[in-house]
Amino acid sequence: MERVRVERELCIGAGECVRIAPATFQLGEDDIAVVTDAAAATDEQLAEAERKCPAGAVFLDESE
């Protein structure tokens, strides 16, 4: 199983992750993405969000 995180310092608020997995990501009031429910997305959606983030701010971490 994988965990997902957003590096706030890298996020530019493009919203690609929200478009790909809206139940997992949201843009906060500061237009920085946050993870709201990692379990709400498939592994494929999470991988696509990581791959398509223009700032490279979405990371998948293997959980133990």
Side-chain angles (χ1 to χ4, degrees), residues 6-18:
V6 175
E7 285 293 326
R8 293 185 55 80
E9 297 79 25
L10 297 176
C11 181
I12 60 172
E16 277 299 299
C17 57
V18 177

Side-chain angles (χ1 to χ4, degrees), residues 4-58:
V4 62
R5 63 186 166 89
V6 175
E7 285 293 326
R8 293 185 55 80
E9 297 79 25
L10 297 176
C11 181
I12 60 172
E16 277 299 299
C17 57
V18 177
R19 183 188 65 73
I20 294 165
T24 295
F25 299 97
Q26 282 185 342
L27 291 181
E29 290 182 18
D30 56 0
D31 287 330
I32 300 298
V34 294
V35 176
T36 56
D37 184 2
T42 65
D43 287 345
E44 291 80 18
Q45 286 174 308
L46 296 178
E48 182 179 0
E50 180 186 43
R51 190 173 54 253
K52 291 192 175 178
C53 176
V58 176

